[in-house]
Each structure stands twice: as C-alpha cells, then as structure tokens.
Amino acid sequence: CIFSAIIFINICMLTDVLGTSKVMWLVAVIFSLIGIALQGKENQFNKWKWGEIICGIYGTINRKGHLSFEKFEEALSLIRHRGPDNKGSFISDDRKIFFGHRRLTIQDLSDRANQPMFDSTKEHAIIFNGEIYNFQSIKKQLQKAGKFFRSTGDTEVLLEAYKYWGLNFVKKLKGMFVFSIYDRKNSKIYIFRD
C-alpha cells in the first residue's frame, strides 16, 4: 500500500515536470527493472502479479430481504486476483449480512489469520484490508489486560481492541486500513477507514 502510494505521488509530481508520455515510459521501465530484479529470486514477491499486491474485502447488508449466498460468492470471485492465497465468506443467520475476503498472506501465514475472522465467542467478526503499523504495541496493551491471541497478525488485534475499548479503539490505530466489524451480540455493523 505504501509502495503504491509513494509511486503514485511521485508519478503525479513527475507528470507536471516531464509531461505524461515521458512519465509513462519511465514507469514502464521502472516496473520492468523491478520484475527483472525479482525474477528467479526466492521471496514473497514471486507469486504476485502487479495488481495482486493487496487483499480484497467485500461486504453487503440487506435489511429488507435475504441474501443469496451463491450470488455473493460469485461477486467475491470477481476480486479473486486481489487475494490468491485464501477465500473466506460469512453470511449471518438471518441472511442479511455477508462478509467476504480474498487473502494475500503477508504477516501471519497460518490459517489462523484467514478472514472473515471471528473472536472466540463467535459474537464478533471482522474483514480487514490494510496494515496497522502499531499493532504490536496495541497487542501488548491487550495482553497485559489478559487478552489471548491465536494469530500473530494485526487482524485479531483489531477485533480484540474493539471488544476491549469499544469504538474509541480506532483512535489508537496508526496505519492504512479499511475494515468492518460485525457485532452480533449488539446487532451492529461498523465500517472504519483511515
């Protein structure tokens, strides 16, 4: 995300100075050089294609009627390119809420970090895309308060922080993010973005 944002900002500045055609040629050369540099190297980037460097989330709320699980699974498949490593989905018991996630594994490579993620009570679910830079410090605060974590990434930290601090937890976050939490116990859905 940061890499993409930095490239975009630099492209905008260069366009003003050099003109559009020169900048597009320069961008093509840069991406080609990056591809050549990564070719044959054993690293996480080998499995990625440009445009697949971020997970994808999808959610729908329909208060009036029931959602078709099959239709939303089909919609989730449209963002398959965003997360080739795992696909997860959830539909509420009353079939009015759907959460879907396409995962690109970056932090916690285990299945414990798949999404939608539920807390241990199954009363709270989250779909998340982004990165929380300070999740380790937030996690330490929660652990001191007696919270236990099954995964090592930032998604579960968001869920536990919401449960512990309520909606004000979002003020603690530093990063780039968009996520939604379904609080089944209180029949609420919250959507957050940086």
Side-chain angles (χ1 to χ4, degrees):
C1 293
I2 295 171
F3 181 68
S4 300
I6 290 170
I7 288 175
F8 179 73
I9 290 167
N10 287 332
I11 289 171
C12 291
M13 289 190 303
L14 282 173
T15 302
D16 290 342
V17 175
L18 300 175
T20 305
S21 61
K22 289 179 184 174
V23 171
M24 290 301 111
W25 179 84
L26 182 62
V27 168
V29 169
I30 289 169
F31 281 119
S32 296
L33 291 174
I34 291 170
I36 291 167
L38 293 176
Q39 191 173 18
K41 302 237 191 272
E42 268 310 308
N43 60 48
Q44 184 72 12
F45 296 105
N46 281 347
K47 66 180 178 179
W48 296 348
K49 296 176 189 160
W50 293 106
E52 289 185 348
I53 306 185
I54 191 166
C55 299
I57 61 174
Y58 181 80
T60 301
I61 304 166
N62 186 346
R63 293 182 181 173
K64 295 179 181 178
H66 295 291
L67 299 174
S68 163
F69 189 73
E70 293 73 28
K71 283 188 179 183
F72 291 99
E73 281 289 314
E74 185 179 323
L76 188 57
S77 73
L78 294 175
I79 58 171
R80 180 177 328 143
H81 62 283
R82 298 281 299 274
D85 297 329
N86 186 270
K87 173 187 74 115
S89 57
F90 159 77
I91 193 161
S92 61
D93 294 336
D94 61 5
R95 300 185 71 78
K96 293 184 178 182
I97 299 165
F98 177 88
F99 275 2
H101 188 269
R102 296 296 310 204
R103 183 174 180 211
L104 177 69
T105 53
I106 296 174
Q107 286 185 9
D108 184 339
L109 305 181
S110 74
D111 290 344
R112 293 184 305 270
N114 287 343
Q115 297 181 46
M117 181 182 283
F118 292 86
D119 69 343
S120 59
T121 67
K122 304 287 187 207
E123 293 294 329
H124 303 90
I126 185 171
I127 49 173
F128 165 63
N129 188 14
E131 183 177 356
I132 306 301
Y133 309 136
N134 63 333
F135 84 94
Q136 291 286 7
S137 65
I138 294 171
K139 184 176 184 176
K140 286 178 185 174
Q141 293 173 46
L142 292 166
Q143 286 172 322
K144 284 182 183 176
K147 299 293 181 184
F148 172 77
F149 292 88
R150 299 167 296 182
S151 65
T152 60
D154 45 8
T155 306
E156 188 177 13
V157 173
L158 292 173
L159 201 51
E160 291 299 326
Y162 163 74
K163 289 170 49 183
Y164 188 71
W165 287 297
L167 294 175
N168 286 329
F169 86 98
V170 78
K171 294 177 184 175
K172 296 178 175 288
L173 304 180
K174 293 179 182 158
M176 296 186 298
F177 55 84
V178 61
F179 61 94
S180 183
I181 293 178
Y182 173 44
D183 184 335
R184 186 183 314 196
K185 183 177 178 183
N186 296 308
S187 298
K188 300 278 186 184
I189 292 184
Y190 300 101
I191 301 170
F192 303 92
R193 67 173 294 274
D194 59 349

